[in-house]
Structure formats: structure tokens, C-alpha cells
């Protein structure tokens, strides 16, 4: 349906117009953020990439926090896509997301360290560095727990569980999945 990035949603068609209007840029940035966020959680990786790219191309400093969240989910989404087919462009996108999270974690440790650790864990998992990946998943889970970000703790547990399924450690995967659901 929309997986190839076709503009089929009523919301996106309704906002076409003059891109020099700051209010429109803010509205577009919010719209594309919500579309990317919803697509990520629905498992539509191509759609998430499409809306993330659209969001990141809008010059709108008023939505700085949202931009950081788009960077995070864009990185996770790119890693998910890289599991199917890797490319230099995708590796660069993941590195850009990690760099962005590093900068943010320096200024707001409680909010971004878990995201940084999760992106690094996913990157290590993709590279086949399973021991490092497990340490980073655990660090992300603990950081999210300390910060009270239970939804991100659940996300890190789920990603760790899928990592252990990939490496055929089903017993450990089950523990992470149980932790994610509790």
C-alpha cells in the first residue's frame, strides 16, 4: 500500500503547499514524525524510512526533541532493514544516528543513554559481535529502568530477545521476552 513511500495518506495530501511557511514546516515535521513513529511500531520499515527522511529534510528548529526521536527510530529502523539487505548508505545512517545519540547523551544522560546503548547493541548484533551486543542490551535495559522509561526498557528487552533468537539461545530469549512483557 504505502510501503514504497507513496503519498497515499489523506493527512499528507492535505498539507501540500508553500514550504517556506514556518507554521507549515512545524506542522509537516509533526505529521511526518507521527507517521514515522506509527510505521515503525506497526512494522512497516519502508514507510518508516520514507517518513523519517521527509521529517529530517525539514528545517524546523522548533521541533528539536521530536527530531531526536526521529533520529533514534530511523536508526533502529535502518538496522532492521540492514538485517535483510545491508548497504554502505544504511551503515552510514546508523552511524549518524549513533553520533546524534552520543551528543544528546552528553547533555541528557537519563533520557538518551539507553537509546545510545540500544543502537550500539543492535549494531553489534548486526555485525555478529554477540557478546558485546548482549552487554549493550543489558546496559540499555538498566539505563532505561533507572530513568523510569519503561516503554524503552520493554523495547530493549524485546530487541535483546530477538537477538538471542537469532543466535539460537532460546532460553535467554525467553527471559528477555518475559521481562519485556512485565
Amino acid at each position: 500500500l504505502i510501503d514504497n513511500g507513496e503519498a497515499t495518506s489523506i493527512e499528507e495530501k492535505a498539507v501540500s503547499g508553500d514550504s517556506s511557511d514556518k507554521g507549515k514546516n512545524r506542522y509537516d515535521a509533526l505529521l511526518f514524525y507521527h507517521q514515522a513513529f506509527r510505521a515503525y511500531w506497526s512494522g512497516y520499515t519502508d514507510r518508516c524510512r520514507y517518513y523519517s527522511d521527509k521529517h529530517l529534510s525539514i528545517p524546523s528548529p522548533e521541533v528539536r526533541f521530536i527530531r531526536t526521536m526521529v533520529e533514534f527510530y530511523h536508526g533502529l529502523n535502518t538496522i532492521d532493514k540492514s538485517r535483510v539487505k545491508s548497504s554502505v548508505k544504511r551503515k552510514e545512517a546508523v552511524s549518524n544516528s549513533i553520533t546524534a545519540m552520543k551528543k544528546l547523551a552528553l547533555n541528557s544522560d537519563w533520557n538518551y543513554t539507553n537509546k545510545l546503548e540500544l543502537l550500539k547493541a543492535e549494531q553489534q548484533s548486526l555485525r555478529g559481535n554477540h557478546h558485546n551486543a548482549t552487554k549493550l542490551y543489558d546496559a540499555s535495559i538498566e539505563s532505561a529502568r533507572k530513568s523510569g522509561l519503561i516503554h524503552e526498557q520493554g523495547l530493549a528487552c524485546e530487541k535483546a530477545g530477538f537477538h538471542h533468537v537469532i543466535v539460537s539461545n532460546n532460553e535467554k530469549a525467553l527471559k528477555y521476552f518475559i521481562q519485556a512483557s512485565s
Side-chain angles (χ1 to χ4, degrees), residues 114 139-150 152-153 179:
N114 68 302
S140 177
I141 291 165
E142 182 60 21
S143 177
R145 187 194 63 74
K146 281 184 192 175
S147 299
L149 302 170
I150 56 173
E152 291 181 9
Q153 181 182 354
Q179 186 179 353

Side-chain angles (χ1 to χ4, degrees), residues 125 128-130 134 160-170 172:
S125 174
N129 300 331
H130 306 302
T134 299
F162 285 124
H163 166 74
H164 286 287
V165 167
I166 290 169
V167 298
S168 300
N169 189 343
N170 294 335
K172 199 159 190 175

Side-chain angles (χ1 to χ4, degrees), residues 26-137:
R26 190 174 321 129
Y27 179 82
D28 285 353
L30 289 170
L31 172 71
F32 296 142
Y33 160 72
H34 284 285
Q35 294 287 11
F37 187 74
R38 188 169 41 193
Y40 176 81
W41 285 105
S42 299
Y44 297 115
T45 55
D46 289 329
R47 191 181 310 176
C48 179
R49 179 196 48 78
Y50 172 77
Y51 286 116
S52 295
D53 288 345
K54 286 191 74 100
H55 174 87
L56 295 171
S57 71
I58 296 172
S60 186
E62 299 90 6
V63 290
R64 196 174 328 206
F65 173 73
I66 291 172
R67 189 173 217 69
T68 64
M69 295 308 294
V70 169
E71 278 284 352
F72 174 63
Y73 285 105
H74 182 63
L76 286 178
N77 186 65
T78 302
I79 289 169
D80 290 344
K81 290 289 289 182
S82 294
R83 291 190 190 284
V84 177
K85 183 180 179 186
S86 186
S87 72
V88 173
K89 188 176 179 182
R90 287 186 179 144
K91 289 177 184 175
E92 185 179 315
V94 171
S95 292
N96 290 343
S97 293
I98 289 173
T99 301
M101 289 302 121
K102 279 181 185 175
K103 289 177 187 174
L104 293 164
L106 290 174
N107 295 321
S108 183
D109 177 57
W110 73 273
N111 196 15
Y112 293 104
T113 298
N114 68 302
K115 295 171 182 67
L116 173 61
E117 300 296 338
L118 182 56
L119 284 170
K120 286 179 172 180
E122 287 284 279
Q123 185 181 50
Q124 292 300 309
S125 174
L126 192 61
R127 291 178 176 169
N129 300 331
H130 306 302
H131 181 70
N132 289 342
T134 299
K135 283 182 179 180
L136 288 163
Y137 284 122

